[in-house]
């Protein structure tokens, strides 16, 4: 019988706990934080406070619903970084306290590695090597995955994350935070080729999304000065054209990287993986090239402890434990 591990995630605005036994995730309890909505983005101090309020109940629910008494755990795992330092600190401190009280080993997990390993929670799973595009409100990375714990970032954003580009563009259109899901919805009723926005061209497999936000802003400013009703009249076309641009940018680099590294398995992770156009365009790219495409269930794309548990499982098998001296890392390189 493999290990039973409790995993805790608190890097941003989801407080989450999960239990894994022998590589099988038993549950994935997630408490989201609605407190940030009225501020149009995650407020770090409020995130820390909400984690403190929620963490005991979330962990308690994960253990009781899995039918696991704390004494039966073989290890306690937690997200060490990257993320908001105050938010991470709540999960790290809680995990350390619990491990100390129960006299159990600790396992630290890199959040970005966990996003990739979310692909192993449920079948069908990708075969190694594969290329994973991790896209969310905080990250945009192309990761070449050679093994469960051997992965390398081959391209990443040099400024904003792709999800941030969706959210900031949404804000300019007067769409509430987080704007990504609503842009996706309005885009379905619009034309993706209605408008064109200048993109920043980046070398290699890196990305840049701050330029597209700026050109979108200047475009809207120029059009609304001519017609104050411009946004209201063209909302769906604006959403569809912006989404088309962002998805094209994401997949163009992914296609190039897959060819450069000779990879035939493509995977996508992170909150933006929920985007319907990204999903369909990725599937189309796979079909065109004869590559396999993997997209996890939505609950495993956004921040969750099940993926932390999956990473912890492989680290446990590798004997990779951490000490009580560990502290969180706001920046934590994958490789
Ligand atoms: O992974 P996630 O829940 O949290 C972070 O770690 O950031 O990702 C949230 C991001 C937000 O930027 C949100 O707008 C975006 O994912 N998102 C979407 C969609 N659903 C969520 N972006 C585009 N289309 C969607 N359907
Ligand atoms: Zn994340």
């Amino acid at each position: 019988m493999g290990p039973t591990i409790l995993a805790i995630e608190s890097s941003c605005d989801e407080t989450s706990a999960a239990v894994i036994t022998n590589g099988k995730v038993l549950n994935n309890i997630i408490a989201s934080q609605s407190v940030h909505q009225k501020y149009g983005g995650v407020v770090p101090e409020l995130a820390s406070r909400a984690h403190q309020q929620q963490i005991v109940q979330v962990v308690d629910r994960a253990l009781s619903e899995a039918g696991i008494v704390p004494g039966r755990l073989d290890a306690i795992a937690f997200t060490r970084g990257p993320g908001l330092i105050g938010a991470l600190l709540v999960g790290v401190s809680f995990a350390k306290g619990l491990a100390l009280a129960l006299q159990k080993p600790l396992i630290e997990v890199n959040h970005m590695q966990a996003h990739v390993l979310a692909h192993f929670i449920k079948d069908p799973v990708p075969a190694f090597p594969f290329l994973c595009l991790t896209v969310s409100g905080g990250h945009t990375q192309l990761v070449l995955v050679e093994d469960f714990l051997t992965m390398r970032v081959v391209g990443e954003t040099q400024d904003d994350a792709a999800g941030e580009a969706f959210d900031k563009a949404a804000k300019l259109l007067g769409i509430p935070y987080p704007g990504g899901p609503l842009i996706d919805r309005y885009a379905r009723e619009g034309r993706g080729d209605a408008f064109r926005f200048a993109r920043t061209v980046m070398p290699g497999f890196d990305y840049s999304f701050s330029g597209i936000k700026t050109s979108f802003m200047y475009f809207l400013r120029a059009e609304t000065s001519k017609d104050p009703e411009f946004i209201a009249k063209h909302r769906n076309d604006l959403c569809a054209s912006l989404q088309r641009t962002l998805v094209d940018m994401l997949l163009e680099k992914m296609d190039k990287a897959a060819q450069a590294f000779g990879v035939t398995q493509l995977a996508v992770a992170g909150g933006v993986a929920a985007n319907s156009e990204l999903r369909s365009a990725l599937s189309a790219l796979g079909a065109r090239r004869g590559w396999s495409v993997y997209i996890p269930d939505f609950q495993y794309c956004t921040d969750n402890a099940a993926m932390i548990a999956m990473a912890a499982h492989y680290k446990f098998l590798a004997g990779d434990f951490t000490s009580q001296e560990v502290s969180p890392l706001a920046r934590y390189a994958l490789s």
Side-chain angles (χ1 to χ4, degrees):
M1 192 65 183
T4 297
I5 306 168
L6 167 72
I8 296 167
E9 154 66 31
S10 72
S11 67
C12 190
D13 61 342
E14 327 278 353
T15 316
S16 181
V19 178
I20 188 168
T21 296
N22 202 18
K24 199 174 163 355
V25 169
L26 301 185
N27 59 14
N28 184 34
I29 310 298
I30 303 174
S32 299
Q33 304 180 355
S34 53
V35 61
H36 308 289
Q37 202 149 12
K38 62 174 176 285
Y39 299 100
V42 177
V43 183
E45 182 54 34
L46 296 181
S48 312
R49 226 177 284 167
H51 283 306
Q52 281 172 339
Q53 282 159 2
Q54 292 170 333
I55 196 159
V56 174
Q57 292 146 19
V58 166
V59 168
D60 199 39
R61 247 187 87 194
L63 288 171
S64 60
E65 284 185 16
I68 301 286
V69 290
R72 251 192 69 197
L73 293 170
D74 295 301
I76 317 285
F78 61 91
T79 304
R80 185 180 182 195
L84 302 171
I85 198 77
L88 288 164
L89 193 59
V90 177
V92 174
S93 309
F94 189 89
K96 281 163 68 169
L98 192 60
L100 194 64
L102 296 172
Q103 289 295 301
K104 304 287 181 187
L106 275 171
I107 300 175
E108 60 156 82
V109 171
N110 180 310
H111 182 87
M112 302 311 294
Q113 192 170 54
H115 265 301
V116 172
L117 294 176
H119 285 94
F120 295 93
I121 296 172
K122 269 176 76 177
D123 283 335
V125 302
F128 300 114
F130 67 91
L131 188 67
C132 183
L133 172 67
T134 309
V135 265
S136 72
H139 353 273
T140 303
Q141 287 189 335
L142 271 173
V143 184
L144 184 61
V145 189
E146 274 151 21
D147 200 351
F148 295 112
L149 301 176
T150 313
M151 42 185 94
R152 178 158 62 97
V153 177
V154 295
E156 66 188 324
T157 183
Q158 298 300 317
D159 42 55
D160 293 352
E164 239 177 311
F166 272 100
D167 296 339
K168 287 180 176 172
K171 203 170 182 178
L172 295 170
L173 295 173
I175 295 171
Y177 174 86
L182 284 169
I183 289 195
D184 190 356
R185 192 195 306 163
Y186 297 140
R188 278 177 218 162
E189 315 293 324
R191 283 175 36 230
D193 59 358
F195 305 110
R196 291 184 69 82
F197 315 110
R199 323 171 175 194
T200 314
V201 179
M202 293 293 286
F205 310 120
D206 283 340
Y207 294 104
S208 165
F209 292 105
S210 65
I212 180 89
K213 175 196 68 194
T214 312
S215 66
F216 191 63
M217 185 179 76
Y218 284 125
F219 175 81
L220 291 180
R221 207 176 274 175
E223 294 298 331
T224 46
S225 71
K226 287 182 267 172
D227 175 6
E229 297 302 308
F230 181 80
I231 292 177
K233 283 181 192 157
H234 300 282
R235 186 192 65 190
N236 295 350
D237 282 348
L238 285 164
C239 288
S241 301
L242 179 88
Q243 177 171 287
R244 173 76 52 85
T245 310
L246 293 174
V247 168
D248 278 356
M249 288 169 79
L250 287 169
L251 293 188
E252 190 192 313
K253 294 287 170 123
M254 194 177 196
D255 185 22
K256 274 194 191 149
Q259 295 190 53
F261 294 103
V263 170
T264 60
Q265 309 258 316
L266 302 184
V268 63
V272 182
N275 185 264
S276 52
E277 187 165 349
L278 179 61
R279 285 169 175 253
S280 59
L282 182 62
S283 301
L285 172 66
R288 205 158 64 237
R289 300 254 187 247
W291 298 339
S292 310
V293 166
Y294 299 86
I295 307 172
D297 288 355
F298 184 61
Q299 64 162 322
Y300 303 130
C301 282
T302 53
D303 288 347
N304 67 88
M307 69 184 193
I308 306 301
M310 206 68 235
H313 173 76
Y314 290 108
K315 294 191 91 167
F316 187 101
L317 298 185
D320 189 354
F321 299 100
T322 193
S323 82
Q324 278 284 341
E325 311 304 311
V326 68
S327 49
L329 295 173
R331 292 169 168 275
Y332 187 178
L334 189 55
S335 55

